[in-house]
Amino acid sequence: MLFRIAALLSIAILLKQYSHVVCQTVWQPKDQFRLNCGTTMNATVYGQVWMEDIEGHFITDGIPASTSNQNSLLPANGDFLYSARIFTTPSEYTFSVTPGRHWIRMYFYPFSFQNFDPNWSLFSVLADGYVLLSNVSIVGELKTTSQAYLTMEYSINIASSSFSLYFVPANASNSYAFINALEIESMPDDSLADDAILVGHGEPSQFGLPGIALQTMYRVNVGGQTVSPANDSGEARTWIPDSSFILGAATGVIPPYNFNIQYPSTVPTYIAPVSVYGTARTMGGSNIINSHFNLTWIFPVDLHFAYYVRLHFCEIVYTSLYQRIFNVYINNQTALSGLDILAKVTAANMPYYADFVAPMLQGDNRLWLQIGPTPNSGAQFKEAILNGLEIFKINNSEGSLAAVPLPPGFPPIASFQPHSGSQRSSVVVYIGASVGIFAAVAALLASLYFLLFKRTKGGKVMSPAWRSLPLLSGSSGSIGSKLSKASLKSGTGSFVSSAPSNMGGRFIGFAELLEATNNFDESLVLGIGGFGKVYKGELFDGTQVAVKRGNPRSEQGFTEFQTEIELLSKLRHRHLVSLIGYCEEHSEMILVYDYMANGPLRGHLYGTDLPSLNWKQRLEICIGSARGLHYLHTGAAQGIIHRDVKTTNILLDENLEAKVSDFGLSKTGPSLDRTHVSTAVKGSFGYLDPEYFRRQQLTEKSDVYSFGVVLMEILCARPAINPTLPRDQCNLADWALYWQKMGKLEEIIDPRLVGQINKDSLRKFGETAEKCLAEQSIDRPAMGDVLWNLEYALQLQETSSERESSAVNLDACNPQLIELPVDQPMTDDSETNGPVTHAVESEEHADDTSTVFSDDASISTVFSQLVNTQGR
Ligand SMILES: *[C@@H]1O[C@H](CO)[C@@H](O)[C@H](O)[C@H]1NC(C)=O
Ligand SMILES: *[C@@H]1O[C@H](CO)[C@@H](O)[C@H](O)[C@H]1NC(C)=O
Ligand SMILES: *[C@@H]1O[C@H](CO)[C@@H](O)[C@H](O)[C@H]1NC(C)=O
Ligand SMILES: *[C@@H]1O[C@H](CO)[C@@H](O)[C@H](O)[C@H]1NC(C)=O
Ligand SMILES: *[C@@H]1O[C@H](CO)[C@@H](O)[C@H](O)[C@H]1NC(C)=O
Ligand SMILES: *[C@@H]1O[C@H](CO)[C@@H](O)[C@H](O)[C@H]1NC(C)=O
Ligand SMILES: *[C@@H]1O[C@H](CO)[C@@H](O)[C@H](O)[C@H]1NC(C)=O
Ligand SMILES: *[C@@H]1O[C@H](CO)[C@@H](O)[C@H](O)[C@H]1NC(C)=O
């Protein structure tokens, strides 16, 4: 009896330990997206669903492609590789994410589809201000491997709640971009840390990991087998065997697989699975004949980058100190000296890992890793051991991980930043749900020394065939300069501590805001933007407000916060949303605005059940927003450029009166002696002025262009970009201009307006919008002229309906007889040659919007108009 109780007890204890292990083992990512691109079919691989990419509204355009030719070189479970999404114009996938470090995995399997020859595919991929691939030909990359497909893995610290991956085809005829499958998944916060040993310098130092992107070059299970994603402790990485990297004949011995790995609390199981720590390569144990050698592994890498190297150790053979003491060399320099693993942990079979940074600025493009017994250590055996390793490339000072620089003429990297994340959500976004593109990544915060990482977790490695891209040649930016730059920085600096200068808005205490929003009750959330959530609230005095609460972890949001306070506290206008106050206590960044009962204009145009607005209401909204923008441009001493005009940034109050909102990206206009502001391109795709995009010179006319898109959106009740439409229709600006130039704009107006609009009012409106959308900013009217013309269009409409109500036959009526101001603003300056050129260009675009890459005007046009993040 006693025996049985004891047995039960020990089973219970075992179970408890077991369940503890299981608990620790499975990492559950907060975000996990697996997309089977370009298809409407889900694919299931090892029990994981790869979702079709339309359903979640991740992508706004591109051409779905698939092949029925099976390839015997692809894994049997590679179903998700047989479809792809092809991009002939710059395009982006957008995801709503939890801020934090994420894995980004891209799978490429080139196949012929219709007229798309994979030999012609040439493109770049950017994300979050980093270049992941530049001018890459997947076919070219695959030639250097024995594989039929390529996997690329990156690790990026995403600061906002929106993440976009941009595919940009090369500027060459017939070139296109494609992707077969895409995976985005949160990484554990502590899997990477901010210190590592700089090879050749000994002590661990901090590097500034948060601002760094990594590309996995290799992830190796030394002495073991391939570990597939499904067997990788929840992290979905792939580990490959080391046999193809080991140098020479002296390959040591592989001890038996030890399943009994005991993870200490300092090493979570997601650092590496048992199958990695439980296998190893050693020098040969006590049977070793000639101990005078090193075990050497060689990894081809790209020169002119630094590499973050993580080595995994676990003493799975010996049990006592002083039995195995060895050195680790990276690139012929001592990285660790006199390592006795058992001195680093409390018992045998316990994992231990160490992180290094190895700059590879010149010379050999192969990373050398060696282990060998420490000379004269007094250890019992001349021995060394290694269980696993990961090698990641660190982005260079230009934010690039690509082997070659971006092609000349490429738009600035900083313009490939996420927009705020709310656009595609069905939540109605009220105030400033979109903060817009964040500024370039904030400066490195920590770091005294050099590029040292600390316990980062590993990136992924491609299987032998999935090698990372062989580097072509060029270098972009020297590590040395980065290093010296980084070494100048010190201190972590809190961005919240310095209050924006010059603030005019009222300070509102955090306590009052807590009360106003019922402790930031989730049920009061009006919308979510890149800056953070927007809540409905009520202040002590009963004022209804919208409270925009910055995400304290998003340092990039601070610039927008400051800009918005500074601008809005100076500006008061009936058609600008007003800032009631702000709060900057407890590291919070909170802005408080008037509550706009009817929310964003877009919701009244399409995509919701809200009642449709009639033409007069729409015109009044256009006029109100034009007034607001006109005031911005001319009312303040120096003029202010909004930079993010779009239908989600025009809010409607309880009387449907329009108010322009969201000034986070706004810029003070050029001073008198200059004609423009030079700045990185920001704004929302689909609304972006092609000239601004091309020349990066900002003027008020960029807002005029965006406003032209807004006018068309109001008239046609469809998004600026609608990827589900045929290619020539997808971009509203192109499509509407095409019909306008044919004089048939009425063909594409909101069906609910049919029969309501007086044709002269429509003509005036169409001309106004067309002028706003002129390719050259100089051909566009000033906001004041736009306003004037819209008022004229309203007058035409009202006169006609008056006449209608007094039973006059409208059609017989000659509009010229109506006494109205002369139509002068629209007919000045560039009228002469403008329309003709435009007609030609616009027809070209309409015919083939997405393949015109022959000149730089069209690439920018296509880029600015087709790439869309409407959801921001
Ligand atoms: C694909 O999978 C997702 C998530 O599991 C599911 O919501 C969706 O309905 C599936 N689609 C199809 C076409 O099966
Ligand atoms: C791509 O080019 C290679 C030769 O470089 C050729 O063998 C192959 O057929 C081409 N592929 C297609 C789809 O044309
Ligand atoms: C995971 O590992 C187990 C044990 O080694 C093996 O039997 C199984 O096939 C592996 N699963 C996958 C998907 O590789
Ligand atoms: C390390 O030394 C070997 C042999 O001496 C040499 O071939 C190799 O290029 C060196 N590696 C590096 C990265 O310097
Ligand atoms: C092991 O490699 C290091 C670095 O390349 C070298 O200094 C050392 O001499 C090598 N040891 C042996 C025994 O070859
Ligand atoms: C990596 O890119 C970021 C953002 O561009 C930059 O701040 C950082 O300095 C780069 N890292 C290195 C080591 O140059
Ligand atoms: C891009 O790659 C193509 C094909 O490999 C090459 O011909 C072209 O010169 C490259 N362009 C740049 C700017 O590197
Ligand atoms: C595209 O290529 C053409 C001709 O090679 C060149 O004139 C133009 O500047 C390029 N545009 C961009 C954006 O690189």
Side-chain angles (χ1 to χ4, degrees):
M1 183 62 183
L2 217 86
F3 170 77
R4 286 182 58 188
I5 291 174
L8 280 175
L9 261 177
S10 63
I11 287 171
I13 288 166
L14 267 176
L15 280 175
K16 211 170 150 205
Q17 284 176 345
Y18 178 72
S19 67
H20 171 73
V21 168
V22 168
C23 257
Q24 205 203 347
T25 303
V26 181
W27 154 248
Q28 302 216 298
K30 281 171 258 171
D31 301 328
Q32 192 164 54
F33 301 96
R34 293 198 174 100
L35 302 190
N36 184 14
C37 303
T39 170
T40 51
M41 311 266 290
N42 288 343
T44 303
V45 176
Y46 290 138
Q48 297 166 341
V49 174
W50 291 72
M51 216 171 111
E52 38 90 7
D53 59 354
I54 295 284
E55 183 82 0
H57 308 294
F58 300 112
I59 181 73
T60 56
D61 56 9
I63 301 163
S66 60
T67 181
S68 50
N69 299 336
Q70 298 288 309
N71 184 330
S72 58
L73 292 175
L74 293 186
N77 55 21
D79 285 353
F80 61 115
L81 296 171
Y82 289 105
S83 71
R85 187 167 287 276
I86 287 178
F87 307 104
T88 54
T89 59
S91 304
E92 71 186 276
Y93 274 92
T94 298
F95 302 86
S96 280
V97 296
T98 314
R101 197 166 269 278
H102 287 66
W103 293 120
I104 318 295
R105 299 192 182 101
M106 300 189 278
Y107 298 79
F108 299 103
Y109 168 57
F111 55 77
S112 294
F113 176 75
Q114 293 176 357
N115 294 329
F116 296 101
D117 178 344
N119 288 338
W120 284 102
S121 127
L122 194 64
F123 58 98
S124 301
V125 179
L126 293 93
D128 237 14
Y130 297 104
V131 182
L132 307 187
L133 293 173
S134 165
N135 195 42
V136 71
S137 155
I138 300 297
V139 171
E141 297 307 324
L142 284 170
K143 278 186 186 144
T144 65
T145 75
S146 57
Q147 289 223 318
Y149 73 110
L150 207 62
T151 307
M152 310 294 299
E153 183 185 86
Y154 300 87
S155 160
I156 296 183
N157 193 17
I158 302 175
S160 83
S161 57
S162 174
F163 175 76
S164 296
L165 198 59
Y166 301 84
F167 289 84
V168 186
N171 179 15
S173 59
N174 292 340
S175 71
Y176 67 93
F178 72 95
I179 174 111
N180 303 75
L182 182 56
E183 193 176 4
I184 300 198
E185 155 181 316
S186 312
M187 292 171 61
D189 290 337
D190 58 350
S191 61
L192 297 177
D194 200 9
D195 60 55
I197 295 168
L198 182 67
V199 172
H201 288 75
E203 289 307 298
S205 311
Q206 292 214 316
F207 175 50
L209 179 67
I212 279 164
L214 302 172
Q215 176 188 353
T216 309
M217 304 295 287
Y218 301 96
R219 181 177 291 118
V220 180
N221 182 12
V222 176
Q225 306 289 317
T226 297
V227 179
S228 70
N231 267 3
D232 183 38
S233 48
E235 277 247 65
R237 297 164 299 193
T238 301
W239 301 74
I240 60 174
D242 68 331
S243 41
S244 48
F245 306 106
I246 186 108
L247 179 76
T251 57
V253 302
I254 295 174
Y257 187 176
N258 182 336
F259 296 90
N260 182 28
I261 302 303
Q262 307 291 323
Y263 287 86
S265 59
T266 49
V267 182
T269 49
Y270 49 71
I271 294 293
V274 170
S275 43
V276 169
Y277 283 120
T279 58
R281 196 178 285 275
T282 69
M283 304 209 49
S286 44
N287 302 326
I288 197 164
I289 299 167
N290 173 13
S291 65
H292 194 68
F293 76 105
N294 289 322
L295 279 177
T296 303
W297 294 262
I298 287 182
F299 302 93
V301 295
D302 294 331
L303 270 187
H304 311 292
F305 287 90
Y307 292 85
Y308 169 51
V309 180
R310 168 167 290 183
L311 301 181
H312 297 275
F313 301 103
C314 186
E315 183 50 85
I316 53 172
V317 181
Y318 301 135
T319 52
S320 320
L321 284 169
Y322 302 113
Q323 288 185 295
R324 184 185 335 245
I325 299 179
F326 61 102
N327 287 1
V328 176
Y329 310 94
I330 295 179
N331 291 336
N332 299 339
Q333 289 185 294
T334 303
L336 276 183
S337 159
L339 174 63
D340 187 339
I341 298 168
L342 292 180
K344 299 283 186 184
V345 295
T346 53
N349 300 333
M350 276 196 174
Y352 168 73
Y353 62 92
D355 297 330
F356 306 88
V357 169
M360 298 205 52
L361 305 182
Q362 58 192 24
D364 200 340
N365 70 344
R366 297 171 305 167
L367 189 147
W368 283 61
L369 174 67
Q370 294 169 289
I371 57 174
T374 304
N376 312 316
S377 67
Q380 184 178 355
F381 305 106
K382 290 217 162 33
E383 255 294 8
I385 184 172
L386 182 65
N387 305 64
L389 69 100
E390 294 165 278
I391 300 177
F392 307 95
K393 189 196 278 180
I394 297 171
N395 71 263
N396 68 19
S397 58
E398 281 150 21
S400 179
L401 285 162
V404 296
L406 287 170
F410 204 86
I413 297 178
S415 57
F416 297 90
Q417 296 278 334
H419 310 267
S420 66
S422 61
Q423 112 189 18
R424 287 179 185 85
S425 89
S426 54
V427 181
V428 178
V429 178
Y430 286 72
I431 293 277
S434 57
V435 171
I437 306 174
F438 283 114
V441 179
L444 298 186
L445 294 182
S447 92
L448 285 177
Y449 217 47
F450 245 62
L451 358 136
L452 295 191
F453 281 106
K454 179 181 153 185
R455 11 221 85 118
T456 343
K457 83 181 184 184
K460 99 187 191 178
V461 168
M462 355 239 138
S463 62
W466 321 358
R467 296 274 307 276
S468 63
L469 301 181
L471 296 191
L472 299 161
S473 53
S475 70
S476 35
S478 87
I479 284 283
S481 70
K482 291 179 251 204
L483 292 183
S484 53
K485 242 197 274 172
S487 64
L488 290 177
K489 312 243 165 140
S490 63
T492 330
S494 149
F495 66 94
V496 227
S497 56
S498 67
S501 54
N502 245 346
M503 292 189 307
R506 163 163 95 90
F507 183 85
I508 301 179
F510 189 62
E512 181 173 359
L513 291 177
L514 276 179
E515 192 139 320
T517 57
N518 197 11
N519 294 324
F520 294 102
D521 186 342
E522 290 295 307
S523 68
L524 295 175
V525 170
L526 296 172
I528 303 170
F531 183 84
K533 289 184 181 165
V534 182
Y535 299 80
K536 187 178 173 187
E538 189 173 317
L539 297 183
F540 291 158
D541 62 5
T543 318
Q544 294 218 311
V545 291
V547 178
K548 181 153 108 180
R549 186 187 196 190
N551 175 353
R553 292 178 56 192
S554 143
E555 292 171 20
Q556 287 94 332
F558 184 60
T559 323
E560 275 90 356
F561 176 72
Q562 206 165 7
T563 309
E564 188 133 3
I565 293 179
E566 286 181 3
L567 285 181
L568 275 184
S569 52
K570 279 189 281 191
L571 300 171
R572 288 282 151 189
H573 189 270
R574 182 169 159 202
H575 292 288
L576 299 185
V577 78
S578 37
L579 181 71
I580 292 178
Y582 63 91
C583 169
E584 226 197 346
E585 282 176 342
H586 304 297
S587 307
E588 295 277 352
M589 297 185 290
I590 300 176
L591 295 167
V592 182
Y593 308 84
D594 262 348
Y595 174 65
M596 294 290 125
N598 274 307
L601 168 58
R602 178 178 297 179
H604 296 264
L605 297 174
Y606 50 84
T608 64
D609 300 332
L610 295 173
S612 149
L613 300 168
N614 65 33
W615 182 235
K616 180 160 176 261
Q617 287 172 318
R618 294 190 202 198
L619 277 175
E620 279 164 350
I621 289 166
C622 293
I623 290 170
S625 4
R627 285 216 173 96
L629 288 172
H630 178 53
Y631 170 78
L632 266 189
H633 290 176
T634 59
Q638 216 183 336
I640 288 163
I641 305 170
H642 185 283
R643 285 222 282 180
D644 203 11
V645 176
K646 57 180 179 179
T647 47
T648 44
N649 282 343
I650 295 173
L651 304 180
L652 303 178
D653 71 5
E654 64 280 9
N655 303 318
L656 293 178
E657 188 153 272
K659 315 238 178 190
V660 178
S661 79
D662 210 336
F663 300 85
L665 292 182
S666 300
K667 267 248 188 297
T668 315
S671 49
L672 289 179
D673 53 329
R674 293 172 58 215
T675 57
H676 65 265
V677 185
S678 294
T679 171
V681 176
K682 294 184 182 182
S684 297
F685 294 114
Y687 295 90
L688 204 50
D689 167 11
E691 188 176 85
Y692 167 39
F693 185 79
R694 197 162 56 238
R695 301 173 50 196
Q696 290 148 50
Q697 295 180 345
L698 183 67
T699 69
E700 284 90 355
K701 296 291 182 70
S702 303
D703 283 352
V704 174
Y705 182 91
S706 310
F707 190 67
V709 179
V710 167
L711 292 180
M712 292 300 195
E713 204 175 331
I714 290 174
L715 179 67
C716 306
R718 52 150 284 187
I721 300 283
N722 183 348
T724 63
L725 292 174
R727 244 205 266 174
D728 53 346
Q729 305 183 20
C730 137
N731 181 321
L732 173 60
D734 287 343
W735 181 238
L737 274 182
Y738 171 77
W739 287 96
Q740 164 66 16
K741 296 199 163 145
M742 296 210 308
K744 292 189 180 166
L745 192 56
E746 68 275 9
E747 303 272 321
I748 58 163
I749 66 174
D750 184 351
R752 295 168 300 186
L753 290 176
V754 169
Q756 271 187 42
I757 313 185
N758 163 266
K759 70 179 196 309
D760 296 311
S761 174
L762 177 61
R763 182 183 52 83
K764 181 85 277 185
F765 188 88
E767 282 169 15
T768 310
E770 179 185 0
K771 278 291 195 173
C772 292
L773 293 173
E775 188 79 8
Q776 310 287 326
S777 61
I778 190 163
D779 299 339
R780 295 176 206 145
M783 216 53 224
D785 298 339
V786 176
L787 174 58
W788 190 96
N789 278 274
L790 290 171
E791 283 173 341
Y792 186 16
L794 176 62
Q795 236 173 317
L796 287 167
Q797 178 70 21
E798 288 186 327
T799 321
S800 78
S801 38
E802 273 163 29
R803 250 185 281 119
E804 197 168 23
S805 57
S806 53
V808 177
N809 179 349
L810 246 187
D811 288 342
C813 209
N814 179 350
Q816 302 310 325
L817 297 178
I818 304 165
E819 196 71 51
L820 279 169
V822 186
D823 188 6
Q824 158 261 350
M826 293 316 246
T827 52
D828 61 2
D829 52 35
S830 51
E831 183 89 52
T832 40
N833 61 359
V836 180
T837 0
H838 287 178
V840 171
E841 277 176 18
S842 131
E843 257 150 44
E844 271 172 17
H845 286 179
D847 286 342
D848 190 3
T849 343
S850 44
T851 50
V852 191
F853 274 87
S854 47
D855 68 58
D856 102 336
S858 52
I859 192 176
S860 339
T861 310
V862 168
F863 188 82
S864 62
Q865 297 179 353
L866 275 184
V867 181
N868 175 32
T869 42
Q870 29 174 244
R872 327 177 332 131

